[in-house]
């Protein structure tokens, strides 16, 4: 068997009231909560994937500001190891009400509300990324090299 890494992106977007953009989605038949997140597509840049996934899942355009970190998670449900590139972004404007088919709704939630959802979070990385954001973790976007075309 050939092992293929699963590169994913996630976005932490905070509004002016201190709430975070989250998605309520169906995953393996269960309703879970996550940051706007998804897989990097073939020939797609990591930052571009983060912007695209946020728009597709929430209808919001965002401006990436920082990389929060690169996280590794092996999902017990399927045994797949995911590499999550998590970004901090500034929400700009909501441009669409059309969301990906597995997305139930986009919500703005406080950190306390998200912590209360603990058993409904898609993975432990959801809260870990938020805590790292709240603790001030920030890396410049330039740490991710983008090939020149």
């Amino acid at each position: 068997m050939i092992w293929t890494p699963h590169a994913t992106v996630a976005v932490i977007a905070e509004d002016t009231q201190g709430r975070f953009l989250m998605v309520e989605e169906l995953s393996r038949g269960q309703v879970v909560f996550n940051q706007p997140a998804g897989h990097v597509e073939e020939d797609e840049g990591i930052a571009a994937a983060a912007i695209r996934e946020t728009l597709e899942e929430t209808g919001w355009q965002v401006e990436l500001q920082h990389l929060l970190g690169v996280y590794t998670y092996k999902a017990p449900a399927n045994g797949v190891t995911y590499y999550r590139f998590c970004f901090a972004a500034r929400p700009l404007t909501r441009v669409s009400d059309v969301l990906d088919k597995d997305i139930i709704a986009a919500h703005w939630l406080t950190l306390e509300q998200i912590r209360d959802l603990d058993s409904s979070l898609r993975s432990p990385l959801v809260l870990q990324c938020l805590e790292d954001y709240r603790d001030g973790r920030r890396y410049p976007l330039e740490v991710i090299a983008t090939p020149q075309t």
Side-chain angles (χ1 to χ4, degrees):
M1 179 197 299
I2 297 175
W3 178 77
T4 304
H6 291 262
T8 64
V9 293
V11 171
I12 305 284
E14 184 178 15
D15 72 7
T16 57
Q17 287 87 42
R19 299 173 305 169
F20 296 95
L21 184 58
M22 299 289 289
V23 295
E24 181 181 2
E25 61 186 339
L26 274 176
S27 176
R28 298 183 176 272
Q30 297 204 327
V31 175
V32 295
F33 289 81
N34 196 6
Q35 284 97 16
H39 285 84
V40 179
E41 295 178 357
E42 186 174 356
D43 296 325
E44 182 177 40
I46 294 167
I51 293 167
R52 175 187 53 77
E53 285 289 351
T54 304
L55 181 61
E56 290 175 356
E57 293 192 351
T58 69
W60 277 85
Q61 288 181 329
V62 296
E63 176 186 13
L64 300 183
Q65 297 185 307
H66 304 282
L67 176 70
L68 294 180
V70 180
Y71 302 80
T72 304
Y73 177 69
K74 186 171 184 174
N78 61 12
V80 171
T81 299
Y82 296 93
Y83 299 93
R84 179 187 243 217
F85 294 81
C86 189
F87 294 90
R90 183 170 64 94
L92 300 175
T93 186
R94 186 156 191 218
V95 296
S96 177
D97 291 328
V98 178
L99 308 178
D100 274 356
K101 64 179 177 66
D102 291 336
I103 304 299
I104 298 167
H107 303 282
W108 289 97
L109 303 174
T110 65
L111 183 55
E112 293 72 27
Q113 289 171 316
I114 296 166
R115 285 182 179 136
D116 288 344
L117 293 169
D118 186 51
S119 63
S120 297
L121 297 179
R122 181 149 184 175
S123 82
L125 293 183
V126 175
L127 197 51
Q128 183 179 356
C129 290
L130 278 167
E131 296 291 353
D132 289 347
Y133 172 83
R134 296 293 289 205
D135 288 345
R137 180 180 286 187
R138 306 285 191 278
Y139 299 102
L141 295 174
E142 293 77 22
V143 300
I144 300 175
T146 303
Q148 301 300 315
T149 55

